[in-house]
Amino acid sequence: MMKRTIIGCILMQVLCIALGYGQERDLVKYVNTLQGTDSEWSLSYGNTYPTVGLPFAVHFFSAQTGKNGDGWKYTYKAETIRGFQQVHQCSPWMGDYAVFSLMPAMGRLTVGEEERALPFSHDKEIAKPHYYSVKFDNGILAEVSPVERGAHMRFSFNGPEKAYLILDGFLKESRVEIIPHERKIVGYVNNGRFVPENFKNYFEMVFDQDFTSYGTWENKGNTIAAGSTERQGEGAGAYLEFKAGSRVQVKIASSYISAAQASLNMERELGASKNLEATKAKAFHIWNSLLNRISVEGGTESQMATFYSCMFRANLFSRKFYELDQQNNPYYFSPYDGKVHAGYMYTDNGFWDTFRAQFPLSNILHPQMQGRYMQSLIDAQRQAGFFPTWSNPGMSGVMIGNHAISLLADAWAKGIRSFHADSALRAYYHEATNKGFWGGSNGREGWKDYFTKGYIPYGQIHESTAKTLEYAYDDFCAYQLAKMSGNTFYEHIFARQMFNYVHVFDTESGFMRGRLANGQWREAFDPVEWGGPFTEANAWQYTWSVMHDINGLINLLGGEQRFNAKLDSFFTMEPRINYGSYKQEIHEMREMLLAKMGQYAHGNQPTQHVPYLYNFSGQPWKAQQRARIVMDQLYNATEKGYPGDEDQGQMSSWYVLSALGIYSVCPGTDQYVFGSPAFQRAELKLANGKKFIVVAKNNNERNVYIQSAKLNGVPYDKNYIRYQDIMNGGTLEFVMGEMPNKQRGIGRASRPFSLSELP
């Protein structure tokens, strides 16, 4: 009887586990990591590569079609692959770092990247988050599955020809050591643009086959040293020969701290994986569990593929830059001061892009990680003297603004308070009153004029009006953080600065403009002229960059009626372009023209919040319509899946949030503004164990307008929802229709946050 009881209990546990897993749908099948790869310098459909990696992992891997050092490491139109790289690149414009690659060869040993490249076709390619494979035209099968700090690869050779694997040390100095009796290669690479002088990425590779021969080489002159076991210098690499027809597996682990830590990472993350299938299964489960955090229903198969492909890219950056010591305590090599510190560190992100949607989405999905991230920002500031603005992995100063404060204020507003607000504010004050050494966004260009004149004069500082607008928003975030944390000193300092946007608004033309040091406007004004006082945009696009005070902008434009008329024109006018200071068509211009949405340039960040601004001006149904048009017409899951640079998850996060029916117009507040949900139902499984459900009754491609809304069964007339309402769990229920309900959400009390009052 006892045995039967025990057996019964065991069977019940097994059944419960099976049912639990059964509730987790296979959502990985919808993800296409080739989304956005049909890109080039002159036109971006995403500027992505087929990333194989775990969420926010230290290292990713990718097939390589481009030359070593080419930012476009994989392009869909390419016909050959020349390697399988360890990668970290967050943008082709920034380049990569800590890169090395492996490439199979058969027959004659050819080590040079051009000569070893093999033809392939996409119909013999599988590109998923947890697994990439390609069967080359010559029959070699290459496969990759990831772990957090490494990967498992397998190369299957066929026929009687000699089988080789070639390790390429990429750019700059590298070191390799072949240890034949251990079936191992160890070494390091130190390539990268924004890295300390003592930067090294230590790697360890363990193979499951004996080497029949081996040697080293270098990729400058492609000279080979047969039988050599060690080499160090620029582009130092290695090659291994295996028995003909071998099926070779290799486990790869890396560390920025030491060779010993690379070995520890290998043991921890790959030691239990007997074969690639085991690693692949673990990676699948990690990704599938994350994708199931948002379960959507009631859309087309195409929408499902777009949503989960975007969900994948929304959960890649920022990358973890920390490791775990023998006692499982986090520590890291700092890309800022070149020293090893205890704690967490994250990197590879341009905040000008991602403060808008990627971080607000992560605050919902990953509050614990975000808490660690916020402290790491303050640690980075202490180590470098300034906040990072675009780390890759260290300081670069690329793009504009001081948007680390947006991340910190947004986290605090949403209850993520793992850091000292006073420390953040002191660091930001230093940021706002100094100019750093690394690029235009390191510290603040033109800060003295900004504080005294209230704007940055055109002609003295590049992109002056755009910077004035970005700084005003950032100062609002500092004001918010100070106000929320009770720091009246900094609250008073930034209370005036956050209104500086008014000083670059020309009431006569109705646009933000370049303003000279003497207070006069820059002459020969054309609102469609790109560049000059603006960044990758024009006056039509940057005029809306007052995320923290849309009411103030409405007042400047002469009231709601004129504001709405200007918004309407923005989306419907002729998409005319004046090259301006760029003097030629840049890819952002071309992408705007292809979108055919007037001057709306969703392919770049400054306008991505604009469809939602109708919520502030009494016409929320137009926000619903515009959001759906953008989702339906500018996104898909193919190689041409994005209307511009994907940018470290920002473009994808815009879609994920918008498909849920919400968007973060003003990070630094706790509000998400309504659009139009893409699915009939979406269930968010929150980290606190609760569920938040968005229901959109009667939703389809025609019924894009909200007729009514309820929050937890209570009629809800607001055009936004608060973060805490989401995190508390519950149900937001919309009834959708084909015609707009022009009575819902039009009252002043229904509108989202704005600093100023309307008359």
Side-chain angles (χ1 to χ4, degrees), residues 51-293:
T51 311
V52 191
L54 297 185
F56 311 107
V58 178
H59 308 299
F60 299 151
F61 289 79
S62 174
Q64 173 195 1
T65 63
K67 294 181 179 181
N68 286 354
D70 187 351
W72 286 262
K73 60 175 66 266
Y74 180 102
T75 53
Y76 194 82
K77 292 185 179 71
E79 297 178 346
T80 61
I81 290 172
R82 62 186 70 200
F84 297 90
Q85 291 185 339
Q86 177 181 267
V87 302
H88 310 88
Q89 182 171 290
C90 52
S91 166
W93 311 103
M94 298 293 287
D96 208 341
Y97 66 90
V99 183
F100 56 79
S101 69
L102 278 177
M103 183 65 188
M106 201 160 61
R108 185 171 63 91
L109 176 64
T110 52
V111 293
E113 60 172 319
E114 298 284 354
E115 294 76 20
R116 70 179 186 242
L118 295 176
F120 77 106
S121 59
H122 294 298
D123 60 351
K124 294 183 179 179
E125 193 178 29
I126 299 173
K128 296 293 179 184
H130 70 297
Y131 175 72
Y132 175 91
S133 73
V134 60
K135 191 169 186 179
F136 291 104
D137 291 357
N138 69 356
I140 296 176
L141 175 65
E143 303 168 271
V144 188
S145 280
V147 293
E148 217 164 55
R149 295 169 180 85
H152 207 143
M153 294 188 185
R154 184 164 62 198
F155 301 94
S156 301
F157 300 89
N158 62 342
E161 296 181 285
K162 292 182 176 181
Y164 295 97
L165 283 177
I166 298 141
L167 167 62
D168 192 327
F170 203 62
L171 309 174
K172 296 187 179 180
E173 184 192 14
S174 56
R175 181 183 181 276
V176 294
E177 180 183 355
I178 304 169
I179 310 173
H181 67 282
E182 295 184 30
R183 298 174 171 174
K184 184 184 291 187
I185 299 179
V186 297
Y188 66 78
V189 293
N190 76 346
N191 48 73
R193 291 170 61 195
F194 306 107
V195 296
E197 289 185 6
N198 63 332
F199 176 76
K200 287 184 175 68
N201 178 52
Y202 299 91
F203 61 80
E204 181 175 300
M205 302 181 182
V206 179
F207 300 81
D208 71 341
Q209 307 277 324
D210 289 334
F211 313 150
T212 59
S213 73
Y214 48 82
T216 61
W217 69 290
E218 53 79 31
N219 63 22
K220 303 303 176 187
N222 295 334
T223 57
I224 295 173
S228 167
T229 58
E230 293 187 50
R231 190 162 197 147
Q232 183 172 338
E234 285 197 57
Y239 72 88
L240 306 173
E241 182 187 352
F242 300 91
K243 290 180 181 179
S246 291
R247 194 182 193 208
V248 181
Q249 295 192 84
V250 52
K251 297 178 180 180
I252 304 168
S254 297
S255 167
Y256 297 119
I257 294 173
S258 67
Q261 182 65 45
S263 295
L264 182 59
N265 294 342
M266 173 76 77
E267 178 187 344
R268 277 194 181 135
E269 301 190 20
L270 286 159
S273 294
K274 293 183 178 180
N275 51 39
L276 184 134
E277 280 73 22
T279 305
K280 177 182 174 183
K282 291 176 185 175
F284 172 86
H285 177 66
I286 290 169
W287 270 114
N288 204 48
S289 294
L290 175 52
L291 296 176
N292 270 273
R293 293 280 306 281

Side-chain angles (χ1 to χ4, degrees), residues 286-447:
I286 290 169
W287 270 114
N288 204 48
S289 294
L290 175 52
L291 296 176
N292 270 273
R293 293 280 306 281
I294 305 181
S295 179
V296 296
E297 301 172 12
T300 65
E301 288 295 289
S302 175
Q303 285 176 309
M304 294 285 283
T306 303
F307 182 85
Y308 286 109
S309 294
C310 286
M311 180 75 167
F312 160 68
R313 293 215 172 268
N315 288 279
L316 289 177
F317 298 100
S318 296
R319 183 191 309 284
K320 297 173 182 175
F321 208 75
Y322 64 87
E323 304 179 51
L324 302 174
D325 66 15
Q326 289 281 3
Q327 290 73 42
N328 281 310
N329 296 313
Y331 73 140
Y332 60 91
F333 170 87
S334 170
Y336 304 107
D337 67 5
K339 299 176 182 178
V340 176
H341 301 268
Y344 297 96
M345 182 55 63
Y346 298 82
T347 189
D348 292 337
N349 205 311
F351 299 152
W352 184 79
D353 303 306
T354 56
F355 82 83
R356 306 163 196 268
Q358 199 273 336
F359 279 90
L361 175 61
S362 284
N363 281 336
I364 295 174
L365 293 178
H366 312 291
Q368 182 188 60
M369 181 187 76
Q370 292 295 88
R372 293 169 176 174
Y373 199 127
M374 296 310 108
Q375 181 58 49
S376 81
L377 281 177
I378 295 173
D379 293 339
Q381 194 274 343
R382 289 168 178 161
Q383 293 159 21
F386 291 89
F387 281 122
T389 52
W390 193 328
S391 51
N392 193 50
M395 285 288 191
S396 71
V398 171
M399 297 310 293
I400 66 172
N402 306 122
H403 297 312
I405 193 64
S406 173
L407 276 53
L408 292 158
D410 196 49
W412 195 275
K414 289 162 181 169
I416 300 170
R417 300 181 176 182
S418 56
F419 59 96
H420 292 294
D422 289 353
S423 298
L425 289 164
R426 281 196 303 272
Y428 179 71
Y429 181 76
H430 172 76
E431 195 91 3
T433 55
N434 286 278
K435 174 67 187 76
F437 305 108
W438 304 279
S441 62
N442 184 236
R444 181 168 283 185
E445 284 189 313
W447 68 269

